[in-house]
Amino acid sequence: MWVGAVVIGLAPNLLIVGAGWVLGMSGWSIAGAALQTLQADKLPEKQRGKVAALTGLMTQVAPVIGIGIAYAVSSSTLLIFLVPGVIGAVLLALFPLIKPEGSSVSLARSGEMTLKSVVSSYGFNARKYPDFGWNWVGRFVFFVGLYFNTTFGTFFYSQRLDLPVREVAGIVATVGMIGVVAAAAGAIVGGFLSDKLQRRRLFVMLAALLFVGGAVAEATAWSLPQIIVGAVLMQLAIAVFATVDQAIIYAILPDRDQAGRYMAVTQFAQKIPSAVAPLIAGVVITIGAVGAEKNYTLLYLVGAAFALIGGLIILLKVKSVR
């Protein structure tokens, strides 16, 4: 991760920037996956919502801090990438010292690691583990709806507010900052309340309904106040869903001794929609479009439908979690 940041900071051309980005994101993904796996391994049921909430809160606060650090050293392109990278690397290096796990020498090994064994490890028996399978499907469908409604935000604001794209940057930033506050509140409230009430699926469904409300508000919005209301509702919904569904995943892992494997499988339910949904959304906005006006109303309503279906799947099909 740190090396990738340095490469980007020193890159003489776009190709090297891309290489540094891939390197840095690979490190970030590995570290994030390891932390999630550790939570799946160690957290007791009564703390899963709280920890997921605090994790969600940090994912909202950290980018703001990062932007502040970058602004403080903005006179140097290298420092913009180097300083946050060093901070992240140092904190990650300290983590195993603060939370040691002991030696792994005596742990049982499942056999030789090959490309075939790695690829096959991502499969699982959905009939044997129906809760995990249905939660994966519900999460996948919800995130399809999410990416439908977040991909073309800048162009949506431009069309609905009748402004050139270059003039909506300030609006996007303002809406984004308000959304950060809403997301932080959603993560904390959803996580802590779901722990206290020991109800997870109810909060997932509540998140889906909030998302529908926000998507409908945006679909019918032609003014900035209504757009802000819609965006805040959707950010609140996303935070509640992500936090509580994370706690559900920890509870329904098919095999806690292979938590890393199943957490990786879970990530596909988010990563695949992030790649596929924007492509489909680009087609949806052309349906019934008149001239240069794109059909964002249809796009946001379709996204709302996907989110609602995702929430219903988890509410009705995941049986072992309340």
Side-chain angles (χ1 to χ4, degrees):
M1 180 173 65
W2 176 79
V3 173
V6 172
V7 170
I8 295 173
L10 296 174
N13 55 58
L14 187 59
L15 181 62
I16 303 302
V17 169
W21 178 261
V22 170
L23 188 62
M25 288 300 293
S26 297
W28 178 85
S29 297
I30 292 169
L35 291 173
Q36 281 197 336
T37 301
L38 182 65
Q39 291 178 16
D41 279 337
K42 304 294 185 182
L43 286 177
E45 168 65 23
K46 63 181 180 180
Q47 293 182 0
R48 288 169 184 161
K50 297 184 182 70
V51 174
L54 294 174
T55 302
L57 174 63
M58 291 302 101
T59 61
Q60 300 300 322
V61 173
V64 177
I65 295 175
I67 291 170
I69 294 172
Y71 181 79
V73 296
S74 59
S75 58
S76 169
T77 301
L78 176 60
L79 290 179
I80 288 174
F81 293 95
L82 181 62
V83 174
V86 167
I87 293 173
V90 169
L91 291 176
L92 285 173
L94 289 174
F95 184 78
L97 300 178
I98 297 171
K99 187 66 177 178
E101 291 192 276
S103 174
S104 61
V105 173
S106 61
L107 294 180
R109 287 166 172 76
S110 58
E112 183 181 0
M113 181 178 292
T114 63
L115 178 60
K116 181 180 179 181
S117 67
V118 171
V119 173
S120 63
S121 69
Y122 291 117
F124 68 95
N125 189 332
R127 290 186 177 182
K128 187 176 180 180
Y129 307 111
D131 281 354
F132 186 79
W134 280 118
N135 188 80
W136 193 99
V137 173
R139 187 179 179 90
F140 179 95
V141 174
F142 182 90
F143 275 103
V144 169
L146 185 160
Y147 287 113
F148 265 28
N149 291 13
T150 56
T151 298
F152 296 105
T154 299
F155 301 101
F156 167 74
Y157 295 155
S158 175
Q159 178 173 304
R160 291 299 174 90
L161 300 176
D162 195 25
L163 292 171
V165 171
R166 65 179 180 275
E167 293 183 16
V168 301
I171 295 173
V172 172
T174 301
V175 173
M177 290 302 296
I178 297 172
V180 165
V181 176
I188 293 174
V189 173
F192 278 72
L193 275 182
S194 70
D195 263 0
K196 186 173 182 60
L197 300 176
Q198 287 298 294
R199 301 293 295 269
R200 309 291 191 196
R201 292 181 295 161
L202 175 65
F203 282 92
V204 166
M205 192 63 223
L206 176 62
L209 292 173
L210 284 172
F211 191 93
V212 169
V216 171
E218 295 234 312
T220 58
W222 293 92
S223 65
L224 182 57
Q226 188 171 339
I227 286 176
I228 291 175
V229 169
V232 168
L233 283 175
M234 286 198 292
Q235 286 297 323
L236 183 65
I238 293 165
V240 173
F241 179 90
T243 299
V244 180
D245 193 61
Q246 189 82 351
I248 290 177
I249 292 166
Y250 293 154
I252 61 175
L253 288 175
D255 184 350
R256 198 160 297 280
D257 290 336
Q258 298 187 46
R261 167 194 173 189
Y262 289 106
M263 292 305 296
V265 172
T266 298
Q267 285 298 310
F268 288 140
Q270 180 176 347
K271 299 300 183 183
I272 296 174
S274 72
V276 175
L279 301 178
I280 302 172
V283 176
V284 173
I285 59 175
T286 65
I287 298 174
V290 179
E293 298 288 310
K294 303 301 182 184
N295 195 348
Y296 290 110
T297 298
L298 177 62
L299 179 66
Y300 278 72
L301 292 179
V302 171
F306 271 100
L308 180 60
I309 293 169
L312 284 171
I313 289 171
I314 294 173
L315 177 69
L316 300 176
K317 292 294 187 179
V318 179
K319 302 296 187 180
S320 63
V321 178
R322 291 185 64 198

